[in-house]
Amino acid sequence: MPYALPALVTLLALFWYVVTGIQVGRMRTRHKVHAPATTGSPEFERAFRVQMNELEQLVAFLPAMWIFAMFGDPRLAAAIAGVWLAGRIVYAFGYWGEARRRHLGFSISTFALAVTWVSALA
């Protein structure tokens, strides 16, 4: 089962995306931001932005990670994906607190994305 680890990290990344969606729902309820509105309190807007940025990142990251896993090293692809996911989690918790605290997580996940893209191209 050479692709078990990339599959596991994929499921964890998708689970994390669901968690960010739940956070948006919680902030909608707490701050009375009724759908389809996407603006409201700063706390809601940060939660919404985290979820949307997570979706944007998933689209860029997952295909590259799977290409690297299939044509390169699945274990290394999964390890880098773990770093990427950790960066996304750090990003979210930082951003949920206040927007200026998102940079460390963004830097970690962007570095992992770049490594994955280069590795997939190689």
Side-chain angles (χ1 to χ4, degrees), residues 57-111:
Q57 290 289 311
L58 280 169
V59 170
F61 183 78
L62 286 179
M65 189 272 298
W66 274 103
I67 291 168
F68 177 36
M70 293 174 69
F71 297 103
D73 183 339
R75 288 181 184 200
L76 184 55
I80 296 168
V83 171
W84 176 83
L85 181 56
R88 299 309 307 158
I89 293 168
V90 170
Y91 168 87
F93 277 97
Y95 208 162
W96 286 336
E98 57 184 280
R100 65 184 173 92
R101 291 185 24 217
R102 71 189 189 280
H103 298 293
L104 175 61
F106 178 81
S107 297
I108 293 168
S109 59
T110 299
F111 175 75

Side-chain angles (χ1 to χ4, degrees), residues 12-115:
L12 290 173
L14 294 174
F15 174 76
W16 179 246
Y17 176 70
V18 170
V19 168
T20 64
I22 291 168
Q23 181 70 356
V24 171
R26 290 178 64 231
M27 292 302 106
R28 274 191 187 283
T29 300
R30 179 179 294 165
H31 297 287
K32 297 177 177 50
V33 179
H34 303 289
T38 58
T39 59
S41 75
E43 191 175 23
F44 166 76
E45 289 181 11
R46 288 192 308 271
F48 182 77
R49 194 57 230 141
V50 165
Q51 185 196 26
M52 290 299 100
N53 191 263
E54 194 65 36
L55 180 59
E56 295 160 4
Q57 290 289 311
L58 280 169
V59 170
F61 183 78
L62 286 179
M65 189 272 298
W66 274 103
I67 291 168
F68 177 36
M70 293 174 69
F71 297 103
D73 183 339
R75 288 181 184 200
L76 184 55
I80 296 168
V83 171
W84 176 83
L85 181 56
R88 299 309 307 158
I89 293 168
V90 170
Y91 168 87
F93 277 97
Y95 208 162
W96 286 336
E98 57 184 280
R100 65 184 173 92
R101 291 185 24 217
R102 71 189 189 280
H103 298 293
L104 175 61
F106 178 81
S107 297
I108 293 168
S109 59
T110 299
F111 175 75
L113 175 63
V115 169

